[in-house]
Amino acid sequence: MRALSCVLALSVVAGCGGGQRETPSVRYAVGPISNACNASERRASNPSLCGCIQAAANVELSSSDQSRAVAFYRDPHSAQEVRQSDRKRDEDFWKRYSAYVDRSERMCKGL
């Protein structure tokens, strides 16, 4: 019993990790972006890709940013409007959104 407790404790500690780092393994998550991606009529969308994109969003975007990004699936032109906006709020969001796009491209390449 004591050996089992030690193994369990070690596995919990090992699972904690140390900071954020890119790994070659593909991550999968469920959330508003994966739902919008799966519901879209884009040819390249599939559950694995959409889940990976959601995992990238979970790292780079807050929940309110994710809700805002979901609108881009319904109305792609709105992304262009935000990108070209002079409002500080839109500029700040676009920086975070660009970081999310970069991360999802790295993480999800080939899916």
Side-chain angles (χ1 to χ4, degrees):
M1 184 69 172
R2 186 173 188 165
L4 179 61
S5 296
C6 289
V7 169
L8 182 60
L10 285 174
S11 64
V12 169
V13 171
C16 291
Q20 293 181 352
R21 44 196 151 137
E22 294 287 328
T23 61
S25 65
V26 175
R27 296 186 177 109
Y28 184 89
V30 177
I33 296 215
S34 67
N35 292 340
C37 175
N38 282 314
S40 74
E41 295 181 6
R42 291 173 172 83
R43 285 183 297 166
S45 68
N46 64 63
S48 294
L49 176 61
C50 294
C52 183
I53 290 170
Q54 179 67 53
N58 289 347
V59 173
E60 296 292 341
L61 300 175
S62 67
S63 59
S64 62
D65 284 346
Q66 289 183 34
S67 296
R68 193 170 182 194
V70 164
F72 298 162
Y73 283 90
R74 290 187 302 272
D75 181 16
H77 181 68
S78 64
Q80 184 70 5
E81 291 172 348
V82 171
R83 187 181 74 79
Q84 293 179 328
S85 172
D86 291 333
R87 290 185 296 241
K88 176 81 168 125
R89 178 178 180 263
D90 290 341
E91 290 175 14
D92 292 344
F93 168 76
W94 196 258
K95 287 178 185 174
R96 294 187 302 274
Y97 183 79
S98 295
Y100 147 70
V101 169
D102 291 343
R103 181 178 293 271
S104 64
E105 287 175 346
R106 287 190 315 269
M107 283 176 55
C108 307
K109 192 173 189 170
L111 290 181

